[in-house]
């Protein structure tokens, strides 16, 4: 956890130290918006690093994964029921908005499926989401098409639905996802929120090891909004050199 009070203090410290106006004032709501946008961007960057580890080295890969452990929802949390949505493509889908905590980013998954007398066999999904333009190729290519025997298939996500595919010989039943949930919104008491309610203090749930990365992104955002070139340049330098 990272204290919201510490984050707000360090934002002021960095902006005021670097700005030509040593007493630059930014509304509390604006700083919180920047922090929340920054944590969403930071999580996306970390997940991209997890999904394409080639060339990173195992230590860097493990660190990215460990950084997000608090946001990872494991497979057995809540299975999704799949239903047929396109018989020509042998497509089965489920809504993602039923997941709690709220789904943010895909990590991995598997489904259970039936084929003849064989019931509830585990079929693993490809960890990389497919693009719709690749669907026909993957479904018809002998090396990539879904296989009950080889226990593998692939999935796509669009408009709040996740879709999995078969070769027409087996029937998916339940889908089990490993995913990243939305990070809790950072907040601070002292203003009326957009929903008309009084704000409450909520610390950032990311680990303290990510504090500087989060601050760099937030300060860059605020520096651009306030035309604080020194703050933007300094934040960019920090981002470029951070591990």
């Amino acid at each position: 956890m990272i204290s919201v009070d510490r984050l707000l203090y360090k934002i002021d410290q960095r902006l005021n130290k670097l700005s030509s106006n040593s007493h630059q004032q930014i509304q509390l709501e604006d700083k919180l918006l920047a922090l929340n946008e920054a944590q969403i961007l930071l999580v996306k960057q970390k997940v991209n690093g997890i999904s394409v580890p080639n060339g990173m080295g195992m230590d860097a890969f493990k660190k990215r994964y460990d950084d997000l452990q608090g946001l990872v929802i494991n497979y057995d949390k809540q299975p999704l029921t799949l239903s047929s949505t396109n018989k020509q493509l042998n497509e089965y889908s489920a809504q993602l908005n039923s997941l709690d905590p709220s789904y943010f980013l895909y990590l991995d998954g598997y489904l259970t499926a039936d084929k003849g007398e064989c019931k509830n066999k585990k079929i693993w999904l490809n960890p990389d989401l497919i693009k719709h333009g690749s669907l026909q190729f993957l479904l018809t290519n002998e090396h990539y098409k879904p296989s009950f025997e080889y226990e593998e298939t692939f999935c796509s996500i669009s408009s709040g639905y996740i879709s999995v595919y078969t070769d027409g010989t087996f029937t998916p039943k339940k889908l089990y996802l490993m995913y990243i949930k939305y990070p809790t919104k950072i907040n601070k008491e002292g203003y009326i929120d957009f929903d008309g309610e009084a704000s409450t203090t909520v610390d950032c749930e990311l680990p303290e090891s990510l504090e500087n990365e989060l601050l760099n992104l937030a300060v860059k955002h605020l520096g651009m909004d306030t035309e604080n070139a020194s703050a933007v340049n300094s934040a960019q330098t920090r981002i470029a050199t951070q591990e």
Side-chain angles (χ1 to χ4, degrees):
M1 298 284 284
I2 311 173
S3 164
V4 63
D5 290 327
R6 189 168 70 204
L7 289 171
L8 292 170
Y9 173 80
K10 287 190 175 182
I11 283 176
D12 288 338
Q13 185 183 51
R14 292 189 184 190
L15 288 173
N16 290 339
K17 180 179 180 181
L18 296 168
S19 175
S20 58
N21 177 2
S22 61
H23 300 289
Q24 184 180 27
Q25 296 297 316
I26 296 177
Q27 292 293 322
L28 172 62
E29 299 94 316
D30 292 330
K31 287 184 279 190
L32 291 168
L33 283 171
L35 282 169
N36 282 300
E37 290 178 5
Q39 76 169 344
I40 291 294
L41 178 57
L42 181 56
V43 171
K44 285 183 177 180
Q45 291 175 345
K46 294 293 180 181
V47 171
N48 286 337
I50 289 171
S51 62
V52 286
N54 292 339
M56 287 174 48
M58 287 305 297
D59 289 342
F61 170 71
K62 185 177 185 303
K63 182 180 185 302
R64 285 179 182 270
Y65 189 83
D66 290 344
D67 283 340
L68 299 181
Q69 271 299 299
L71 302 180
V72 175
I73 306 301
N74 284 319
Y75 305 105
D76 57 354
K77 178 67 176 179
Q78 48 189 318
L80 296 173
T81 300
L82 292 160
S83 58
S84 177
T85 49
N86 189 320
K87 292 185 178 181
Q88 289 184 325
L89 297 176
N90 297 310
E91 177 188 76
Y92 294 76
S93 303
Q95 282 188 307
L96 292 170
N97 62 10
S98 63
L99 292 172
D100 184 22
S102 296
Y103 168 89
F104 181 33
L105 295 169
Y106 171 83
L107 286 180
D108 200 3
Y110 68 87
L111 55 88
T112 54
D114 298 345
K115 182 176 182 178
E117 298 299 318
C118 187
K119 307 293 183 182
N120 294 318
K121 189 173 185 178
K122 185 180 291 186
I123 310 293
W124 285 95
L125 303 179
N126 191 309
D128 296 319
L129 295 170
I130 66 165
K131 298 178 180 179
H132 285 278
S134 305
L135 185 56
Q136 288 290 352
F137 169 77
L138 294 172
L139 288 173
T140 56
N141 189 290
E142 288 296 325
H143 299 291
Y144 300 107
K145 71 179 184 179
S147 172
F148 189 79
E149 287 70 28
Y150 286 103
E151 302 175 356
E152 61 185 12
T153 185
F154 43 80
C155 64
S156 62
I157 291 178
S158 178
S159 302
Y161 283 83
I162 182 167
S163 298
V164 300
Y165 303 87
T166 83
D167 62 356
T169 68
F170 63 94
T171 305
K173 296 297 183 180
K174 296 285 187 179
L175 175 62
Y176 298 80
L177 287 181
M178 176 185 285
Y179 67 96
I180 299 289
K181 74 180 185 72
Y182 270 98
T184 302
K185 180 182 175 183
I186 304 167
N187 211 346
K188 174 67 178 175
E189 62 181 341
Y191 70 99
I192 301 300
D193 212 337
F194 294 112
D195 59 7
E197 300 293 327
S199 62
T200 58
T201 297
V202 181
D203 291 329
C204 174
E205 66 177 317
L206 297 178
E208 289 190 8
S209 59
L210 295 182
E211 180 178 309
N212 276 330
E213 292 180 66
L214 179 64
L215 281 168
N216 291 338
L217 292 172
V219 168
K220 179 181 176 182
H221 175 90
L222 289 167
M224 293 174 68
D225 283 352
T226 58
E227 298 183 352
N228 186 339
S230 296
V232 173
N233 291 336
S234 178
Q236 287 177 329
T237 300
R238 290 172 182 266
I239 291 169
T241 57
Q242 69 195 7
E243 295 182 358

